[in-house]
Amino acid sequence: MSHDHLSVRPRRLRQTPWLRDLVSEITLAPKDFILPLFLRDKTDDALDHLGIRRYTVKEVYPVLEKAADLGIKAVMFFPVIANAYKDETASYAFSSENFFIENLHYIKQKKYPLTLLVDVALDPYTSHGHDGLLVKKTDGDFEIDNDETINLLVEMSFLYAKAGIDGVCPSDMMDGRVAFIRKKLDQEKLFHVCVMSYALKYASCLYRPFRSIVNAQPLQGLHDKKTYQMDFRNKIEGLREMHLDISEGADMLIVKPGLFYLDQVARLSQTQTVPLFVYQVSGEYAMIKAAAQQGLLDEKMAFLEAAYAFKRAGATGIIAYNALEMAKWIKE
Ligand code: PBG
């Protein structure tokens, strides 16, 4: 059989590494990664969960320096709160004793060339583990009070912003919170503080490792988060959530989890009018990490392939637990 007529040969562009580099479409850079960081009080333990650990404020300074040196542009803080400080109404979040707020303030003073973001939600502070206020209805069942929760999220955002944070990231999925947070920040003349909202957050099994890292309590009253986080059987609803958050004033959006939800990243990136980030959550990080530890995957290759997938789908950037390593690997 003669192949003389075979004039179209895509393999021609794959012959050498330099030719492949020349025609490659997607690039990864350190600036594409946001590093999540867990801040603990001195009395709590550091825990090391597959390479994710909790830092005291003193321990986190060198990490922030390293991040900036590697070319990372943003970090996102989460509080680790001891059980003794948790209650039904998350009151420690609003206490003048809150070590987390104090730490944010110290970190701001250091003037790192980094955008300081903070996750805004009640679940690290509540004894029932929910992201909202849990109330008992007259029939004895429990529900999450959307509007009362918003009041607390607004206050929390304000306190974090006052401590010097550059952007607040509400991860609770209450209706309308972005609008009220924006309004409060503006009233307080904190016009410069960004809102990066978790616009699409699905009720996923992939958050489990995170919950032990932040010491979130086992859920009580309602046994899952399905009355506020999204149903993973839904697609169109994602557009609705995106448009709502943008119209309420969100400056940037997050889709979460990442790999199982690439269809939504791809879809939203077609119509988005604001930067769109994807969160490679603890469970998907752990899947790669654990498989690599068992010799089933090459860790570096797997993480890089996933990162290219996020960018190919159209993400502006990736929230990744191993952002420092990713930045190093990219530079190699
Ligand atoms: C808190 C919050 C969660 C995550 C980020 N912010 C947990 C949850 O909603 O249950 C998950 C992050 C991860 O799994 O890496 N609202």
Side-chain angles (χ1 to χ4, degrees):
M1 186 174 143
S2 162
H3 300 299
D4 291 350
H5 62 285
L6 196 54
S7 54
V8 180
R9 294 175 181 268
R11 287 189 56 213
R12 253 197 297 270
L13 296 181
R14 300 179 199 141
Q15 290 179 69
T16 61
W18 35 97
L19 187 47
R20 291 197 292 275
D21 283 350
L22 176 74
V23 298
S24 65
E25 299 168 44
I26 310 288
T27 51
L28 278 179
K31 76 109 200 152
D32 295 333
F33 295 90
I34 296 177
L35 174 67
L37 288 166
F38 298 93
L39 285 180
R40 67 181 168 102
D41 209 350
K42 293 175 286 290
T43 48
D44 274 317
D45 65 89
L47 189 98
D48 192 329
H49 212 33
L50 294 168
I52 308 176
R53 55 161 296 185
R54 306 159 169 175
Y55 298 98
T56 62
V57 69
K58 282 213 180 91
E59 291 166 348
V60 90
Y61 295 146
V63 180
L64 293 169
E65 243 159 63
K66 201 192 255 174
D69 286 349
L70 284 167
I72 284 175
K73 303 296 173 190
V75 294
M76 189 190 285
F77 294 105
F78 295 85
V80 178
I81 307 297
N83 287 351
Y85 296 124
K86 300 191 191 222
D87 61 21
E88 289 197 351
T89 55
S91 61
Y92 182 72
F94 313 99
S95 152
S96 56
E97 316 264 278
N98 187 336
F99 83 93
F100 181 65
I101 295 178
E102 196 183 22
N103 287 353
L104 296 179
H105 185 77
Y106 293 145
I107 290 164
K108 180 65 178 186
Q109 304 304 307
K110 298 275 188 183
K111 296 189 184 293
Y112 296 108
L114 290 169
T115 306
L116 306 179
L117 305 170
V118 64
D119 188 85
V120 169
L122 301 188
D123 61 329
Y125 295 101
T126 53
S127 48
H128 47 69
H130 280 289
D131 298 45
L133 277 178
L134 188 68
V135 292
K136 202 171 196 164
K137 295 189 287 187
T138 45
D139 64 6
D141 289 345
F142 287 92
E143 67 180 351
I144 298 294
D145 187 329
N146 190 90
D147 298 12
E148 285 301 326
T149 300
I150 289 183
N151 293 338
L152 297 182
L153 297 170
V154 164
E155 186 61 18
M156 183 181 280
S157 301
F158 169 57
L159 292 174
Y160 291 166
K162 216 169 56 165
I165 279 295
D166 305 305
V168 290
C169 311
S171 68
D172 52 287
M173 290 304 282
M174 296 303 129
D175 291 332
R177 86 279 205 222
V178 172
F180 285 92
I181 290 171
R182 184 71 267 162
K183 189 170 157 210
K184 171 75 174 174
L185 294 173
D186 290 350
Q187 275 168 355
E188 301 288 344
K189 304 226 171 346
L190 293 162
F191 303 114
H192 64 284
V193 176
C194 306
V195 178
M196 180 195 258
S197 76
Y198 291 77
L200 276 72
K201 179 172 179 176
Y202 283 91
S204 169
C205 69
L206 296 170
Y207 308 145
R208 189 193 275 183
F210 169 94
R211 297 189 54 78
S212 62
I213 296 159
V214 291
N215 185 38
Q217 294 307 287
L219 298 178
Q220 288 168 29
L222 295 165
H223 297 294
D224 55 43
K225 298 190 173 185
K226 291 187 175 178
T227 69
Y228 43 105
Q229 297 179 352
M230 290 168 65
D231 187 329
F232 47 70
R233 293 173 295 186
N234 292 348
K235 184 159 82 171
I236 303 298
E237 193 188 11
L239 282 178
R240 191 179 191 203
E241 288 284 1
M242 172 180 82
H243 289 308
L244 263 176
D245 281 16
I246 293 176
S247 70
E248 289 178 26
D251 303 287
M252 298 178 269
L253 303 182
I254 300 173
V255 173
K256 169 188 179 182
L259 278 189
F260 291 2
Y261 297 85
L262 276 188
D263 58 322
Q264 292 294 48
V265 178
R267 164 190 280 253
L268 301 190
S269 68
Q270 304 285 313
T271 45
Q272 101 216 60
T273 53
V274 299
L276 178 71
F277 291 84
V278 58
Y279 196 148
Q280 182 178 46
V281 300
S282 57
E284 49 182 313
Y285 166 85
M287 283 195 281
I288 295 178
K289 204 78 183 171
Q293 282 181 358
Q294 297 215 14
L296 298 169
L297 288 178
D298 178 280
E299 181 175 340
K300 175 179 163 185
M301 282 166 64
F303 276 117
L304 283 169
E305 192 173 325
Y308 277 107
F310 292 135
K311 289 219 50 192
R312 210 174 49 239
T316 309
I318 305 148
I319 302 166
Y321 290 107
N322 59 351
L324 297 180
E325 269 173 309
M326 294 299 291
K328 272 186 229 150
W329 287 334
I330 291 162
K331 289 179 164 191
E332 278 170 18

